[in-house]
Amino acid sequence: MPRYKYHDNDLRNVSNDDVVKYIPIVKSIINKRFQNCHLEYDEKLNAGLLGVAFGIKRYDPNRGKPLVAWIYYCASDNIRNEIRRTRKFKAALPLLEYARNHIIQDLQLEYVAIKDEFQLVKNNISCLDKRSRKVISYHFVDGLTFEDIAKKLGLSRQRVSQICKKALQKLREKISF
């Protein structure tokens, strides 16, 4: 998507001398119409001069409008578009910053909560018998299914499920979630 309204990637035919001679007009436009906007003076000047270049490139004398009037219009229009473009971007910054901060804060809180819960479980897992600890470890740490654990321990899948359920119940009672 083009950055500027008149963008056509071919300003090679427009000489710098042609653009430079319209600097006083661009400065006048900035001082009269765009003095109190949020853009820096140099940014407004660059946008205006780019508008001048596009105006020179696209000028059609058959329309009956003098070149100076057309240049004035193109420079003003390009400055206005640049202000709008940067205003939209700057308006979105606080929202993005707010969202980023809250997401980071939420993730930090979740991390602390998970870390605390993990520490609680780790400290209280000793209340379980050896087989229950193995089942819990295989399932929640190693990510094995009840079927895989059953094969590993030589038990049925239903028995592994029962052991896991009882172990979790015992941990909940001990920790009191």
Side-chain angles (χ1 to χ4, degrees), residues 94-112:
L95 181 62
L96 293 172
E97 187 69 21
Y98 176 82
R100 185 182 67 89
N101 289 339
H102 277 72
I103 289 170
I104 289 171
Q105 187 178 20
D106 289 348
L107 289 174
Q108 288 170 341
L109 291 174
E110 285 180 34
Y111 173 74
V112 168

Side-chain angles (χ1 to χ4, degrees), residues 3 18 21 45 50 52 63 91 100 129 138 148 163:
R3 181 173 171 180
D18 288 341
K21 69 181 177 185
L45 186 63
L50 194 57
V52 168
R63 289 190 174 178
R100 185 182 67 89
D129 61 274
Y138 285 149
D148 295 336
I163 293 169

Side-chain angles (χ1 to χ4, degrees), residues 76-100:
S76 297
D77 194 46
N78 216 46
I79 295 169
R80 190 179 316 104
N81 288 337
E82 182 69 7
I83 291 168
R84 286 180 185 144
R85 189 184 65 75
T86 57
R87 186 179 296 141
K88 287 177 186 175
F89 178 73
K90 286 183 179 184
L93 283 179
L95 181 62
L96 293 172
E97 187 69 21
Y98 176 82
R100 185 182 67 89

